[in-house]
Amino acid sequence: MTADPGNPAKTADGIFDSQPVGLRERKKLKAMNHIQRVAIALFDEHGYGNVTIERIAAEAEVSPSSVYRYFGTKEQIVLWDVYDPIAIKAFDDQLAARDPVTALRAVIHDMIDMMTRNDEEELAQRRMHYAMTEPAVRAGMDRQAAETEVTIRELLAKHTGRDPNDLELRATTAAIVAAFIAAVAYWHDTGYRDSLRDVIDGALVVVNRGLRLD
């Protein structure tokens, strides 16, 4: 049976064409989205461990070197998220007028709304399944979270005038990132029962009230 990646063109028009990047970059993002959808469909059908980069490339009708060039590793195919750079830029903009948690909640609401408009929520759930159940993907997610923590800390330092290594900045960013990871893990573990927006909001509320358990 041939894996069915869905209709990437449907989502690509909504996400990629509106981004302030050149035509070449938009084509690259569309290609990455297509490869990711093909890969997830293959993982669903055959199991993550049974699918090679070469199989993904053949099914996506691209060269293996293109897959490696775009993603680097198989786990990164799962973890790549087109919304990440959009969210970082939006978070930077929001920090000019809001505290970190309020800024992050506003950005996440916008990203989830965009994801919903582009029918991306099911894909996010399927990706989260592999992030939570495949050790290599989970390890990659942990590395990605550590990198995101550094990025957020640098943005907070820029907007507050503090040293990026300031202890309070470290504690704040660590709490925010840990809350986000806990939220998406809970979302997966509860079978995506609640909306992603509500789950992340709930976790960030705990951070915002000083980690007190009411």
Side-chain angles (χ1 to χ4, degrees), residues 109-153:
H109 288 179
D110 286 346
M111 295 303 105
I112 291 174
D113 287 346
M114 190 184 302
M115 183 175 69
T116 301
R117 286 196 303 271
N118 290 291
D119 295 329
E120 292 277 321
E121 186 165 346
E122 183 196 9
L123 179 64
Q125 292 174 0
R126 291 159 69 197
R127 290 172 51 221
M128 186 54 56
H129 166 73
Y130 295 108
M132 292 291 107
T133 60
E134 291 293 336
V137 184
R138 181 57 192 258
M141 185 173 72
D142 291 342
R143 289 192 297 271
Q144 196 174 69
E147 293 167 0
T148 299
E149 186 176 325
V150 172
T151 299
I152 291 175
R153 192 166 75 235

Side-chain angles (χ1 to χ4, degrees), residues 28-45:
K28 174 186 172 182
L29 293 174
K30 289 181 180 182
M32 292 176 72
N33 179 263
H34 173 65
I35 293 167
Q36 183 183 65
R37 286 174 170 272
V38 167
I40 295 297
L42 286 169
F43 299 155
D44 290 347
E45 184 175 351

